[in-house]
Amino acid sequence: MPRVAVYPGSFDPLTSGHVSIIQRGLQVFDKVIVAVALNVRKSGALFTTEERVAQIEECFEGQNVEVDTFSGLLVDYVKSRNTNILLRGLRAVSDFEYELQMANMNRRLNNQIETVFMMTEESHFYVSSSLIKEVARFGGDVSGMVPEHIIDDLYEKLSLQG
Ligand code: ADP
């Protein structure tokens, strides 16, 4: 059986930190499904779900990466994809508390599902989608923190917002 990991998130937008986790995930798993959350809690997204999916697809063309969307309980989605591996990234201690809570809740909902964490690379330690949007909004340089093809999308979107 090929080992398939589901990597869920908002990816608004995909950052070099996410890219690194996906690339490293591919060293361990046969395939990574990047699952873009149709999130109830995080409203006010900058990019539409379709835009985020297209951005991620472009980044991993030709690799064993599938991009999908999900709503509802993550554990149900993971099960529906016939796997039991959830992949998440960890940056700082601040991520840890939330991730520990989520992993435990998901285990309680379905104890077949295992959450696997990968530590961020040093260079991506401070990279987050929200911070990148903030920096770009004020004209700061985000190159190297977001895949090249997403940078133009980012400035364009932000200029449309005014
Ligand atoms: P969520 O809304 O679920 O937090 P994100 O898109 O912000 O979604 O992040 C998805 C996953 O990627 C989370 O596990 C998060 O901790 C991880 N992640 C985000 N940024 C980085 C980074 N710079 N390095 C490593 N992991 C990261």
Side-chain angles (χ1 to χ4, degrees):
M1 276 284 278
R3 256 205 262 259
V4 177
V6 171
Y7 179 44
S10 312
F11 308 106
D12 184 44
L14 181 79
T15 69
S16 50
H18 297 133
V19 171
S20 162
I21 298 291
I22 297 165
Q23 280 169 343
R24 288 161 55 211
L26 286 171
Q27 310 279 325
V28 181
F29 306 108
D30 298 305
K31 176 178 170 179
V32 173
I33 299 174
V34 182
V36 180
L38 303 167
N39 216 326
V40 239
R41 215 151 41 109
K42 281 198 184 173
S43 50
L46 183 63
F47 291 101
T48 66
T49 310
E50 293 74 23
E51 286 167 336
R52 283 180 264 165
V53 167
Q55 287 166 344
I56 305 167
E57 277 174 345
E58 188 174 337
C59 206
F60 295 98
E61 226 181 302
Q63 299 184 59
N64 276 338
V65 174
E66 180 188 329
V67 189
D68 195 8
T69 59
F70 77 98
S71 56
L73 280 180
L74 179 58
V75 288
D76 292 341
Y77 173 74
V78 174
K79 201 172 154 203
S80 77
R81 298 307 314 258
N82 296 315
T83 184
N84 64 343
I85 308 163
L86 253 175
L87 176 63
R88 294 285 287 176
L90 278 181
R91 278 161 298 189
V93 182
S94 49
D95 278 344
F96 179 81
E97 216 172 290
Y98 173 70
E99 293 292 341
L100 177 71
Q101 206 181 5
M102 288 290 289
N104 280 315
M105 176 57 85
N106 285 334
R107 188 179 303 116
R108 194 186 156 144
L109 293 169
N110 184 336
N111 64 11
Q112 307 290 308
I113 289 173
E114 234 9 280
T115 308
V116 174
F117 293 99
M118 282 193 171
M119 296 288 181
T120 189
E121 285 174 78
E122 216 178 338
S123 52
H124 301 129
F125 179 70
Y126 52 88
V127 172
S128 73
S129 300
S130 48
L131 204 49
I132 279 171
K133 282 182 280 191
E134 194 119 341
V135 171
R137 185 167 280 128
F138 296 111
D141 181 9
V142 294
S143 54
M145 295 186 261
V146 184
E148 204 62 45
H149 70 282
I150 299 176
I151 292 188
D152 290 344
D153 295 354
L154 189 57
Y155 288 113
E156 194 185 316
K157 232 342 162 194
L158 288 167
S159 72
L160 285 176
Q161 276 198 337

